Amino acid sequence: MHLNNFIAIVMAAGSGQRMGLGYNKLLFNLAGQSVLERSVRCLLSEPRLSRVYVVAAAEDFKLFAPILNRLAASDQRLNSNCINGGSTRTASVHNAVEFLSHSEPLPDFLLIHDGARCLLSRQLLSTIIDTVSKGLVTAPALPLTDSIHQVDVNGHAMAAMPRDNLRAVQTPQAFPWPFIYRAYSATSTLMNSTGTAKYTDDISLMYALNIPVQFVPGDYKNIKLTSPLDIILAKEFIRSSSSQEN
């Protein structure tokens, strides 16, 4: 009987400039644990995941090593050696897909998760795996609550956008391996005429290849730590969760 091979990669190669820390925000101590450790632990809480890899900038390898070595000592599904990231998120995922394409056995499914989303719930992760197991590209998404307006290059308002059919997309985003491998094998499709990435996430690539995507309800606590305000929110979510457990 073939057991599905679920692989997860944690995207940790960003600089985190908007956070203003002066170092990779995944090293930030959030209520007693680094953001990186919290993100990895979220994924390792799902027993169906076969392997977890971290994609990082080369200059962060040594900084991440103590965290990953300690976690890998208690759960061998975590590879303590980072995959080398690229200059953009698209390049980083491309490097990871290329690395995994030489692994044995090949993944059946690949989950791509922002390392800065360290409050991923077990329930949401389980739902994503259940959905992708059916052969569906999937991602968590939330309805928009603010009014959305289109602007021109100078910031002048042009039109109000109907928000009923718009969604804010989170991670992890999950893919049957043939779909994500096909997308990243066609490197030229990832770039625009200036040689920079055309897509802000991996789901966007599926649209370019006419591959259907199934959204599942996201989680308002599954925030991406981008600004100092997000740190305040995350600490409150953690405090609230700890109070409920006690």
Side-chain angles (χ1 to χ4, degrees):
M1 178 180 176
H2 175 72
L3 296 177
N4 285 327
N5 188 24
F6 293 95
I7 304 295
I9 57 174
V10 179
M11 306 309 298
S15 62
Q17 292 180 347
R18 285 175 289 182
M19 190 68 77
L21 294 173
Y23 57 87
N24 193 313
K25 63 188 174 186
L26 269 65
L27 293 168
F28 181 78
N29 186 317
L30 181 62
Q33 295 181 29
S34 69
V35 173
L36 176 63
E37 179 171 350
R38 287 186 178 277
S39 294
V40 170
R41 285 187 181 277
C42 288
L43 293 169
L44 292 175
S45 70
E46 171 51 64
R48 287 175 289 180
L49 283 179
S50 307
R51 296 286 283 172
V52 176
Y53 296 86
V54 173
V55 183
E59 58 266 27
D60 287 330
F61 282 10
K62 289 184 178 180
L63 298 174
F64 287 171
I67 299 169
L68 298 179
N69 288 334
R70 176 167 48 81
L71 293 174
S74 59
D75 194 326
Q76 296 182 356
R77 292 177 299 158
L78 174 64
N79 191 318
S80 59
N81 295 316
C82 294
I83 298 173
N84 194 20
S87 59
T88 64
R89 178 191 169 85
T90 300
S92 293
V93 178
H94 182 274
N95 288 355
V97 169
E98 175 65 18
F99 174 86
L100 292 171
S101 70
H102 299 288
S103 64
E104 182 63 38
L106 287 173
D108 293 308
F109 303 97
L110 179 65
L111 280 70
I112 303 175
H113 187 50
D114 293 332
R117 293 186 189 272
C118 62
L119 300 181
L120 172 66
S121 70
R122 293 183 184 181
Q123 181 178 355
L124 179 55
L125 178 56
S126 180
T127 298
I128 291 167
I129 289 182
D130 288 343
T131 306
V132 76
S133 297
K134 300 172 184 176
L136 301 170
V137 174
T138 188
L142 292 169
L144 299 182
T145 56
D146 293 330
S147 293
I148 305 298
H149 291 254
Q150 183 181 6
V151 298
D152 63 18
V153 294
N154 297 312
H156 298 145
M158 296 174 62
M161 305 293 291
R163 66 188 180 194
D164 292 349
N165 294 325
L166 297 177
R167 294 294 182 270
V169 183
Q170 302 178 324
T171 70
Q173 299 177 358
F175 308 84
W177 174 253
F179 294 161
I180 196 69
Y181 179 71
R182 173 186 163 196
Y184 277 96
S185 294
T187 308
S188 60
T189 67
L190 307 179
M191 304 296 171
N192 61 26
S193 59
T194 63
T196 56
K198 291 191 292 187
Y199 304 103
T200 57
D201 68 359
D202 304 291
I203 290 296
S204 303
L205 276 171
M206 300 297 107
Y207 304 148
L209 297 174
N210 295 315
I211 295 173
V213 175
Q214 176 66 57
F215 287 145
V216 298
D219 182 354
Y220 285 101
K221 293 182 179 180
N222 185 28
I223 59 174
K224 184 176 182 180
L225 302 183
T226 303
S227 71
L229 177 59
D230 297 323
I231 294 292
I232 296 173
L233 288 173
K235 287 181 177 179
E236 179 57 28
F237 287 149
I238 293 169
R239 186 200 64 76
S240 175
S241 177
S242 298
S243 298
Q244 291 176 8
E245 291 175 359
N246 295 331

